Amino acid sequence: MTPAWRNCWTGSQGSPRPGDLCWRLSHVCLSSYPLWLTKHHPTPGVISFTLKLSGLIAATEDGFRMLQERSILDLAFNHQHWHEAGLWEDPCIRISWIQGLRSMLQHSKALSFFVQADFTLPLLQLQTDASLFVVSAANQMLAHILLFFQPTSPAGFNGVDKKHGDGKTTRASIADIEHSGIPMETSQDYTTVVTAILEYLKESLVPKENTGLHQSLQILKLLALLLAQARPSLRDKLLQTVAGSLEELATAGYSQLTLPLMDIILAAHSSSSTDGCVPDQRVTHLLSSMLKMDKPSDLIHAAAAFLRRGNQDTVHSAQAVRILLLPLHIITGQTLLGTNTAVEEHQFSVVEQLKTKTPCISMICVCLTNTPQITLTPPDVLPCPPVLIVTAVLSLLRICSGDSSSLSTGCAEVFRNVIGSGKVQKCALEALMGLSSSPGVKDKLTEVFTVLIQYLNNPDLDPTVLHKSYQALVKWMSVCKDLSLITHQLRQDLSEVVKKRVCDMRWEVRDSTVEFVGKLASVVSSAEEPCDAPEAFLGGCCSTPLLREALQDPESYVRASAISALAQTLAHSWQQGAALTQEQTDIVSRLLEILSQDTEGFARRAVVQYFITWFSSHSSHTSPSSSPSSSSSLLMNSVSSVLSLGSVDLDWEVKVHTLGAG
Amino acid sequence: SRHLVLANSVSLYCLSGHPTLPCNVLKFKSTTIMLDCGLDTTSVLNFLPLPLVHSPRLSKLPGWVSKDGTVNLEKELKECAGRVFVDSQPEFCLPERELLDLSTIDVILISNYHCMMALPYITEHTGFTGTVYATEPTLQIGRLLMEELVNFMERVPKAQSATCWKNKEIQRMLPGPLKDAVDVWTWKRCYSMQEVNSALSKVQLVGYSQKVELFGAVQISPLSSGYSLGSSNWIIQSHHEKVSYVSGSSLLTTHPQPMDQSSLKNSDVLILTGLTQMPTANPDGMLGEFCSNLAMTIRAGGNVLVPCYSSGVIYDLLECLYQFIESASLGTTPFYFISPVANSSLEFSQIFAEWLCHNKQTKVYLPEPPFPHAELIQTNKLKHYPSIHGDFSSEFRQPCVVFTGHPSLRFGDVVHFMELWGKSSLNTIIFTEPDFSYLDALAPYQPLAMKCVYCPIDTRLNFHQVSKLLKEVQPVHVVCPEQYTQPPLTQSHRSDLMLELQPPPMPYRRCSVLNLPFRRRYERVYILPELANSLVPSEIKPGISVATVSAVLHSKDNKHTLQSVPKPPPAPPTKKRKRVMEEPPVVLAPKPLLSGAVPLEAFLATLQKHGITEVKVEETADGHILHLQAEDTLIQLEEDGTHIVCDNNEPLRTTLRDLVLRFLQKL
């Protein structure tokens, strides 16, 4: 429905003028509407449309009044009528009923209509509807009623417990401004609705049996919507009503509800703290119960959810950190939580859970994903220095690849679940990347290199794991800057493995490898003590010949990556304005060949990008007196070929890049 | 047919301790069946290589003298790079020959061509008179491998045969690993071609799922095992017992027909051998390593040496390279395959269509051959030669890739290439066969500049696959080499690298004799129709009828038949008067068999009716004891018997007996 159309009906651009065509049309249509609705047996689609339309018209008080005068609203939104007509079964009727009401509920008259018609109960029933869309709409609608009509000052809300936030209305939304002068009857209607809804929430939040989880889940979602936007008075009222039920849910340990429950508690926790108050005792208590749950996987998810919020609560942060580090501590045998973990209350249950493959992998991954965040928590919260966490992640990586030398300290029964698990490997590598910027971990560079080179050498790893290993290498090198820490032997090993992987059978691996060579060049040239070229860093492994070889690769992605990598490798010499070599001339002729002959667009696009990079680095460093044999003359000669070839290319991206360059 | 309950024992004699080169003997239902006859060739690693071309380096190696000078074996033992090698024709470690009389073996079942190399040692000069069963590719390729082995040995004859070092007193003083070699006296030199031919003449060919009756007692049937061309697992079954023998099997998609798993179901005992020797090396990953190392060496201008068997993984290597050559720009690099049987091996592989995987089978109906190595040969990318002598030397171009044997690096053309290329760090040797430790194989070539890459490709089942397989086929008991029941020695924490089963597998080692547990002990017995007709079954429970049979049990060729009792010969006609007197004794009908139980309450009521009123009932573990106090008589009613203890009152006993009989059914 277009806004213009809508305005035509609702007249929101001004009051409806009797002469207006739409207005007249609506008059004509609406006068015959009741008859039509009762006699002509319209299809569900038409009814659905009329419900939405009625809602839109009734969104303004004038429209509302007009429809009321013709009893259209009573007729259209009479759900009993649709029940009797057998049409309520159709989800599109139910959802339109909600949406119609939702559009209408923009003013106090509509609220009165809603209350008088006793729509609260059917709306609440729709919250457990079979259709997910209806459920979602009902939830949105309930939230809308509670939030939209909530009084701006606590005084407007009858019987609110004013323990916190007295007169401290700090955040005023647009709704506040529009509805600041809520009349008395609205307040009464609102209280009626709020009471009914809160009563329902309190009654239905805790599932009567396992089948009621769906309803609880929906209520939790509703609560999350509410708590995120409720003003202190409503929030307080909400919390007061549901705190007992939430407590009951927290101790009941329904795994499916852990995360939504945690969302609510954290929303309540953070909204109360941002109001500048001491967090509500009830919320703090709930949080503590969540971080003491019996089921390890729920516990870990709860702890992760807490940590992700970046909460300043030191006591709970420390607790969450310990919970999250426990699986890593158990598997790797690194003393992340100190030597005496017998006191760790969840130790036993976590070990048991880790012995089963699926929960083990899931828990470890949650734990790993959060390690970078953990290292950024204040030192008094951390049970160990960040460097120890890096050691643990490295141990885990070794265990995952079946390296038996690191298997002596950890928990052997868990090893079998993580050995060869690509998911854990990827998570651990990502964690390792994230940990590169943690405080005080630079000393680990050598060890990180050793493990990552072992990974690159491992023939059984998935190409995506190898790709992540390369990324981790680049990340650590770029963060650590001081490349002198990397021993000659490591450079030699890296060079050997790069030479091997560039010949790999899997194109993905070859692609990642050439990409790495290019990135390595950028990192090396921006290092504190830049080497002349990545060749020097890689201990004699000549990266340019490797990349030139890769230009012949049968896979176009690899060719394209090789071209980009060549640009990165040669960028240093371009910037230095170094003399032209035969190698560069050969590369240029090969690239022009690719641009004119390669059947795949990726490679051709990369060629154009190559020349753009060269040209832009050249133009900023060129000297006016360059000899004809210098690289600038080669560049200038080739640019014209690139422009003429690229501008007639059938691939639009090649063309765009070319024209852009031109 | 009917069943007869018999007690029989099934035993397994384990003649080899090598898990992938098994040799076991199953005594089952009066048949003696040998399962595979693998030859442990790792013993050759203790010997000096046999160079095809005179090697000054090897001929100049110093002889070994003990430190104190008391033992001088200069002629027999040579020292090289800190290790001692026997300078003699290499010898093999044979399957145990003392554990049972090999002449009693009825049949030998061969699973795959790698597991038959000891065949001539078993079938020749032992009095063996049985039959060997194998599939056609197994026989043909096995013959090639034996021929190659004989050829390798006979090409380089050694005059002397070193035996002094085997003396127990002397061996004790030798440095390791010679000192620790076991049963060195049983090691034997290679057989001759004549022995090979004689042994293979005893082979009878079978096809997958073909059922072969052995003496009417058991039925054997080979199943596809997916490991190599014609490789099989075996089902050995009688009417009521089923033993499955699983040898080298693979679930990977390589060239052979896929493994038949479902036929292994419902086994009482599953003998599991031939799992992967490289549980931590994934074949796909190794193949990738092989290719990238090969390309890396060739690009750098070096040569690649691949020591391998002339059949098996080489087909997959060539296929993989066929696809890889283009992507790695190796189009101009020559590939050489050198073996006395290279030509036959490459050609044989193309003709065993029915033994190939589905994908390759369909190619048989197309103009293109199943294996792409044919195309490599046509386009001159792959060239094969019987030996380094002859045509090869004139066409040899470097850098190149050479596939040649033997993977132990002790004999065959590979020895020459080791001497030729070992000194340059540009060259690479890539080990792909998992049977030998590459460090041991390289020991007599040290110091070596050549690069060494170890990419063992073993496509046989790994522990993960085998535990899934066993879950699926659910054998009652599993028997396996003891190596499979614990993690590898070097990786004691890897509990995933062992078999964990419930009930635990029965481990065996060399020289073990196991009594295999069987759940059922039945035998099938046939009843002749005329005898069956004469039976009068009576129903004792709904659906269960019982009849007594008097018959003669006739057993022949392990088949049991019940025949009618022969009628007594008619008496010769004599005088009528005498006939009455001389009538032969009538064959008495057997006493009726009783069945059923005596219900206590009803029995007491009956006793009362007959005037026996003073009955004291005592409950026992098996039933009840009734004490008839007035009569001073005991009646024991038990589940499987009723006793009436009644002294000196025969009429009462008879009455009581008749009362008991009223409650029982008679057959």
Side-chain angles (χ1 to χ4, degrees):
Chain A
M1 205 171 283
T2 62
W5 191 90
R6 186 188 152 165
N7 292 341
C8 163
W9 283 107
T10 58
S12 61
Q13 283 176 331
S15 57
R17 294 181 303 276
D20 184 74
L21 177 66
C22 284
W23 184 245
R24 271 202 282 167
L25 189 62
S26 67
H27 259 275
V28 174
C29 295
L30 289 173
S31 49
S32 58
Y33 179 64
L35 183 72
W36 179 78
L37 207 57
T38 46
K39 301 278 180 200
H40 286 84
H41 306 294
T43 59
V46 174
I47 299 171
S48 152
F49 174 73
T50 46
L51 284 171
K52 289 183 198 167
L53 179 61
S54 312
L56 286 171
I57 296 173
T60 60
E61 294 195 12
D62 290 336
F64 180 83
R65 200 168 42 249
M66 186 187 76
L67 292 180
Q68 267 296 52
E69 281 163 7
R70 288 168 175 76
S71 308
I72 288 173
L73 289 178
D74 294 327
L75 188 63
F77 289 97
N78 182 353
H79 60 99
Q80 284 301 342
H81 170 73
W82 302 125
H83 259 300
E84 284 154 17
L87 290 164
W88 194 249
E89 298 301 307
D90 194 323
C92 85
I93 301 285
R94 301 199 297 276
I95 202 163
S96 310
W97 185 79
I98 300 171
Q99 285 170 344
L101 284 175
R102 166 79 172 76
S103 314
M104 186 200 306
L105 280 169
Q106 306 291 334
H107 48 82
S108 55
K109 288 204 170 50
L111 184 63
S112 299
F113 167 73
F114 183 86
V115 171
Q116 277 158 23
D118 268 342
F119 284 157
T120 318
L121 189 64
L123 183 62
L124 288 171
Q125 281 166 352
L126 289 177
Q127 221 226 358
T128 51
D129 197 272
S131 157
L132 279 179
F133 297 100
V134 174
V135 169
S136 163
N139 253 349
Q140 296 285 344
M141 167 76 173
L142 286 166
H144 171 75
I145 298 176
L146 292 191
L147 295 171
F148 187 80
F149 294 102
Q150 63 180 319
T152 41
S153 77
F157 192 176
N158 294 347
V160 169
D161 178 6
K162 288 181 250 172
K163 200 163 62 182
H164 304 296
D166 263 14
K168 284 183 181 169
T169 316
T170 49
R171 287 183 301 163
S173 66
I174 297 168
D176 293 338
I177 299 154
E178 283 177 2
H179 301 273
S180 47
I182 293 170
M184 197 59 194
E185 63 272 19
T186 306
S187 171
Q188 275 167 0
D189 288 337
Y190 184 62
T191 313
T192 314
V193 177
V194 169
T195 313
I197 295 177
L198 290 188
E199 191 57 32
Y200 165 78
L201 294 182
K202 189 178 175 182
E203 285 299 308
S204 323
L205 184 53
V206 179
K208 305 288 177 282
E209 56 212 34
N210 252 350
T211 48
L213 281 180
H214 175 65
Q215 188 179 13
S216 304
L217 193 64
Q218 295 309 326
I219 296 178
L220 289 176
K221 282 183 183 167
L222 173 61
L223 278 173
L225 277 174
L226 291 172
L227 285 170
Q229 292 178 53
R231 297 203 190 94
S233 54
L234 175 61
R235 189 187 61 224
D236 244 33
K237 182 75 183 163
L238 273 173
L239 284 177
Q240 192 188 27
T241 314
V242 296
S245 306
L246 288 177
E247 178 76 42
E248 208 174 316
L249 276 186
T251 45
Y254 296 107
S255 302
Q256 280 170 284
L257 302 183
T258 307
L259 280 180
L261 191 57
M262 202 61 195
D263 275 346
I264 288 170
I265 296 169
L266 290 173
H269 192 260
S270 59
S271 67
S272 58
S273 2
T274 47
D275 283 343
C277 318
V278 180
D280 192 320
Q281 280 302 314
R282 288 166 304 199
V283 178
T284 316
H285 183 66
L286 271 173
L287 197 55
S288 305
S289 326
M290 289 303 282
L291 294 180
K292 276 183 190 145
M293 280 193 298
D294 292 332
K295 217 168 155 189
S297 51
D298 294 346
L299 185 71
I300 287 200
H301 277 114
F306 178 80
L307 210 66
R308 270 199 300 275
R309 283 270 177 154
N311 222 297
Q312 300 302 315
D313 176 342
T314 343
V315 179
H316 286 117
S317 292
Q319 207 177 341
V321 164
R322 289 188 79 84
I323 291 169
L324 282 170
L325 288 179
L326 188 56
L328 204 54
H329 172 97
I330 292 168
I331 294 186
T332 62
Q334 295 293 331
T335 50
L336 300 178
L337 303 177
T339 44
N340 183 16
T341 52
V343 290
E344 209 63 43
E345 53 184 324
H346 309 293
Q347 169 109 3
F348 181 72
S349 57
V350 172
V351 170
E352 283 308 303
Q353 189 90 38
L354 287 173
K355 287 178 186 167
T356 324
K357 187 154 189 164
T358 316
C360 169
I361 290 180
S362 145
M363 280 163 68
I364 284 287
C365 288
V366 172
C367 165
L368 285 169
T369 312
N370 286 282
T371 44
Q373 175 83 24
I374 289 174
T375 57
L376 300 177
T377 50
D380 55 331
V381 168
L382 262 184
C384 61
V387 71
L388 208 54
I389 296 178
V390 177
T391 313
V393 172
L394 290 172
S395 296
L396 183 64
L397 278 168
R398 286 201 185 99
I399 292 169
C400 282
S401 63
D403 178 354
S404 51
S405 62
S406 58
L407 300 183
S408 51
T409 46
C411 179
E413 282 163 293
V414 185
F415 293 159
R416 63 165 64 194
N417 293 331
V418 294
I419 289 175
S421 161
K423 197 171 173 201
V424 176
Q425 286 167 340
K426 277 184 264 181
C427 269
L429 287 167
E430 262 166 27
L432 194 62
M433 272 186 257
L435 288 167
S436 63
S437 16
S438 302
V441 298
K442 278 184 190 169
D443 294 345
K444 281 277 156 190
L445 185 66
T446 315
E447 205 181 320
V448 168
F449 249 70
T450 312
V451 171
L452 291 177
I453 291 172
Q454 270 170 16
Y455 259 59
L456 295 176
N457 255 317
N458 189 329
D460 292 334
L461 294 186
D462 191 78
T464 51
V465 176
L466 289 178
H467 184 68
K468 286 229 180 294
S469 308
Y470 279 129
Q471 285 180 324
L473 267 178
V474 171
K475 178 81 190 189
W476 273 79
M477 283 171 72
S478 58
V479 170
C480 288
K481 302 279 187 208
D482 183 8
L483 301 183
S484 63
L485 293 171
I486 303 163
T487 61
H488 175 71
Q489 184 57 46
L490 281 176
R491 292 172 193 220
Q492 196 69 39
D493 293 347
L494 180 63
S495 137
E496 280 299 307
V497 78
V498 163
K499 276 194 273 184
K500 183 170 79 177
R501 290 283 164 237
V502 90
C503 300
D504 202 278
M505 283 174 81
R506 299 159 293 180
W507 70 264
E508 296 94 329
V509 176
R510 297 198 300 275
D511 189 55
S512 311
T513 309
V514 289
E515 192 183 282
F516 168 75
V517 174
K519 287 194 175 141
L520 185 71
S522 311
V523 172
V524 169
S525 55
S526 64
E528 275 170 5
E529 290 170 46
C531 312
D532 290 339
E535 275 87 349
F537 177 78
L538 280 181
C541 160
C542 303
S543 54
T544 320
L546 281 186
L547 296 175
R548 281 181 64 190
E549 193 87 49
L551 292 180
Q552 319 278 351
D553 200 281
E555 181 58 51
S556 66
Y557 294 113
V558 183
R559 293 196 297 276
S561 298
I563 296 164
S564 315
L566 269 175
Q568 286 167 304
T569 312
L570 297 175
H572 189 64
S573 69
W574 292 336
Q575 283 166 5
Q576 305 282 312
L580 181 67
T581 59
Q582 181 57 39
E583 192 178 44
Q584 283 197 30
T585 321
D586 293 346
I587 290 171
V588 166
S589 53
R590 173 73 190 123
L591 290 182
L592 290 175
E593 203 178 296
I594 288 176
L595 186 60
S596 60
Q597 286 167 14
D598 204 303
T599 51
E600 299 288 331
F602 303 107
R604 302 201 303 272
R605 286 174 213 166
V607 172
V608 179
Q609 288 290 5
Y610 176 97
F611 283 102
I612 292 174
T613 318
W614 188 6
F615 192 77
S616 49
S617 73
H618 168 82
S619 52
S620 54
H621 290 92
T622 187
S623 59
S625 60
S626 47
S627 70
S629 64
S630 72
S631 67
S632 72
S633 67
L634 175 65
L635 174 63
M636 290 312 152
N637 289 339
S638 17
V639 160
S640 60
S641 317
V642 171
L643 288 178
S644 59
L645 285 169
S647 55
V648 295
D649 201 289
L650 289 175
D651 184 291
W652 70 269
E653 266 191 64
V654 175
K655 207 177 268 185
V656 164
H657 289 323
T658 314
L659 296 173
Chain B
S1 67
R2 293 293 183 266
H3 305 135
L4 185 70
V5 180
L6 288 178
N8 60 8
S9 84
V10 181
S11 357
L12 187 74
Y13 294 75
C14 310
L15 311 188
S16 157
H18 197 300
T20 34
L21 297 166
C23 184
N24 296 314
V25 175
L26 181 72
K27 283 204 169 184
F28 180 53
K29 295 262 171 198
S30 73
T31 54
T32 307
I33 305 171
M34 179 177 270
L35 306 169
D36 278 331
C37 45
L39 181 65
D40 187 352
T41 49
T42 49
S43 53
V44 301
L45 293 173
N46 295 296
F47 292 79
L48 267 193
L50 298 180
L52 267 180
V53 179
H54 174 74
S55 159
R57 183 185 72 89
L58 288 173
S59 58
K60 278 184 200 150
L61 290 176
W64 181 82
V65 182
S66 68
K67 271 182 191 154
D68 54 6
T70 51
V71 186
N72 186 337
L73 289 176
E74 271 181 321
K75 292 244 165 71
E76 289 198 355
L77 304 179
K78 303 282 179 196
E79 260 190 290
C80 175
R83 278 177 72 160
V84 175
F85 296 91
V86 182
D87 187 11
S88 168
Q89 188 160 67
E91 294 177 342
F92 306 124
C93 176
L94 271 49
E96 186 58 46
R97 297 194 296 175
E98 305 296 322
L99 199 60
L100 88 166
D101 182 0
L102 296 179
S103 68
T104 62
I105 290 170
D106 298 313
V107 291
I108 301 178
L109 309 183
I110 303 294
S111 309
N112 60 67
Y113 45 77
H114 288 301
C115 291
M116 64 186 285
M117 300 301 278
L119 201 58
Y121 295 116
I122 305 290
T123 61
E124 308 309 300
H125 320 300
T126 56
F128 173 81
T129 54
T131 313
V132 182
Y133 288 96
T135 61
E136 195 184 353
T138 303
L139 170 68
Q140 301 300 0
I141 298 176
R143 181 193 296 278
L144 292 184
L145 291 178
M146 288 179 177
E147 205 182 302
E148 185 186 53
L149 198 63
V150 173
N151 196 309
F152 281 158
M153 296 293 179
E154 289 181 353
R155 256 179 355 185
V156 192
K158 279 247 174 192
Q160 67 156 358
S161 190
T163 49
C164 295
W165 70 276
K166 291 185 181 177
N167 184 310
K168 262 188 188 156
E169 289 307 307
I170 295 178
Q171 196 200 351
R172 215 159 38 87
M173 299 169 77
L174 299 179
L178 270 184
K179 187 174 81 175
D180 308 316
V182 285
D183 297 332
V184 289
W185 279 107
T186 65
W187 290 9
K188 286 272 175 300
R189 296 175 71 150
C190 189
Y191 32 72
S192 67
M193 207 50 219
Q194 195 186 0
E195 286 166 321
V196 170
N197 288 332
S198 170
L200 296 183
S201 68
K202 298 179 174 84
V203 175
Q204 190 163 326
L205 297 181
V206 280
Y208 287 148
S209 304
Q210 181 185 335
K211 292 181 171 64
V212 179
E213 287 269 328
L214 298 184
F215 318 113
V218 293
Q219 198 183 51
I220 53 160
S221 176
L223 309 171
S224 170
S225 77
Y227 169 55
S228 58
L229 276 177
S231 69
S232 5
N233 292 322
W234 293 86
I235 300 288
I236 302 141
Q237 59 186 341
S238 67
H239 294 298
H240 294 288
E241 293 97 353
K242 179 172 175 181
V243 178
S244 298
Y245 174 57
V246 174
S247 188
S249 303
S250 175
L251 291 171
L252 303 179
T253 318
T254 54
H255 59 271
Q257 243 189 56
M259 181 181 177
D260 177 356
Q261 301 179 55
S262 57
S263 306
L264 298 171
K265 280 184 184 165
N266 302 319
S267 308
D268 296 287
V269 170
L270 186 142
I271 304 167
L272 179 69
T273 64
L275 298 185
T276 174
Q277 299 187 73
M278 296 290 141
T280 53
N282 168 16
D284 279 335
M286 287 298 137
L287 210 52
E289 284 296 284
F290 170 77
C291 287
S292 35
N293 280 296
L294 184 142
M296 193 166 79
T297 309
I298 297 291
R299 279 187 190 185
N303 300 294
V304 177
L305 179 61
V306 187
C308 62
Y309 292 115
S310 51
S311 186
V313 176
I314 186 167
Y315 302 139
D316 297 308
L317 289 180
L318 290 175
E319 180 153 4
C320 182
L321 282 174
Y322 170 77
Q323 293 159 356
F324 183 65
I325 282 174
E326 290 309 315
S327 72
S329 335
L330 298 175
T332 53
T333 312
F335 288 73
Y336 300 114
F337 176 22
I338 302 167
S339 157
V341 296
N343 186 29
S344 319
S345 168
L346 292 174
E347 282 179 0
F348 268 150
S349 61
Q350 304 284 19
I351 58 167
F352 292 124
E354 57 170 303
W355 309 91
L356 294 172
C357 62
H358 178 74
N359 203 358
K360 292 214 184 303
Q361 271 190 29
T362 53
K363 285 195 178 170
V364 174
Y365 305 104
L366 302 172
E368 57 182 305
F371 284 96
H373 56 237
E375 199 187 315
L376 289 177
I377 295 169
Q378 270 168 17
T379 53
N380 260 337
K381 284 177 183 153
L382 174 67
K383 294 177 183 182
H384 54 87
Y385 302 91
S387 124
I388 50 165
H389 300 299
D391 291 348
F392 173 72
S393 44
S394 55
E395 291 180 30
F396 177 52
R397 265 194 304 121
Q398 301 191 70
C400 64
V401 181
V402 170
F403 296 88
T404 187
H406 186 269
S408 66
L409 307 189
R410 292 302 178 271
F411 40 85
D413 302 89
V414 73
V415 176
H416 174 71
F417 287 99
M418 285 305 294
E419 295 289 327
L420 186 71
W421 289 343
K423 293 168 212 81
S424 164
S425 60
L426 279 180
N427 302 325
T428 305
I429 176 169
I430 310 182
F431 291 88
T432 55
E433 301 287 354
D435 289 355
F436 301 92
S437 142
Y438 79 103
L439 289 175
D440 289 339
L442 290 172
Y445 299 97
Q446 299 298 345
L448 197 69
M450 178 181 210
K451 230 175 98 182
C452 302
V453 179
Y454 189 51
C455 305
I457 297 172
D458 195 334
T459 57
R460 286 172 279 208
L461 297 175
N462 62 32
F463 287 99
H464 178 68
Q465 291 165 330
V466 87
S467 42
K468 248 173 108 177
L469 173 77
L470 292 176
K471 247 182 220 163
E472 182 103 4
V473 303
Q474 294 203 319
V476 183
H477 293 282
V478 173
V479 179
C480 67
E482 63 177 354
Q483 290 92 329
Y484 297 165
T485 59
Q486 61 224 11
L489 282 177
T490 49
Q491 289 165 306
S492 56
H493 286 81
R494 293 291 297 265
S495 58
D496 54 327
L497 303 183
M498 61 181 276
L499 277 183
E500 278 186 309
L501 299 172
Q502 236 11 281
M506 296 175 70
Y508 73 78
R509 58 170 75 176
R510 192 177 165 107
C511 292
S512 294
V513 179
L514 305 181
N515 272 324
L516 303 187
F518 273 93
R519 193 174 44 181
R520 293 171 298 185
R521 289 176 173 175
Y522 292 105
E523 191 67 77
R524 180 171 286 192
V525 178
Y526 294 90
I527 297 185
L528 289 185
E530 46 180 311
L531 179 61
N533 266 341
S534 70
L535 299 181
V536 186
S538 52
E539 194 170 51
I540 52 161
K541 272 184 197 171
I544 298 178
S545 295
V546 176
T548 53
V549 188
S550 299
V552 173
L553 179 67
H554 184 82
S555 289
K556 190 183 172 191
D557 283 349
N558 294 299
K559 283 211 166 53
H560 312 288
T561 315
L562 286 177
Q563 297 175 343
S564 304
V565 179
K567 284 190 183 139
T574 50
K575 285 179 187 172
K576 267 190 177 178
R577 258 178 40 192
K578 275 195 173 176
R579 217 182 101 193
V580 182
M581 303 291 290
E582 292 178 3
E583 203 166 327
V586 180
V587 179
L588 288 174
K591 279 187 183 174
L593 298 174
L594 301 173
S595 68
V598 182
L600 184 65
E601 292 305 316
F603 185 60
L604 289 175
T606 313
L607 284 178
Q608 202 160 18
K609 244 187 228 171
H610 285 78
I612 300 167
T613 47
E614 279 181 59
V615 184
K616 198 177 148 199
V617 182
E618 195 183 316
E619 204 165 319
T620 64
D622 302 320
H624 295 89
I625 295 178
L626 311 185
H627 189 199
L628 315 185
Q629 285 169 326
E631 292 79 9
D632 194 20
T633 295
L634 286 178
I635 305 176
Q636 282 176 286
L637 297 175
E638 287 168 0
E639 204 181 325
D640 53 357
T642 302
H643 300 276
I644 299 170
V645 186
C646 170
D647 287 337
N648 303 324
N649 192 348
E650 185 60 16
L652 176 66
R653 190 193 70 81
T654 320
T655 313
L656 290 176
R657 183 199 65 190
D658 292 342
L659 291 181
V660 168
L661 287 178
R662 278 190 198 181
F663 292 96
L664 299 176
Q665 287 175 299
K666 297 178 192 70
L667 292 171

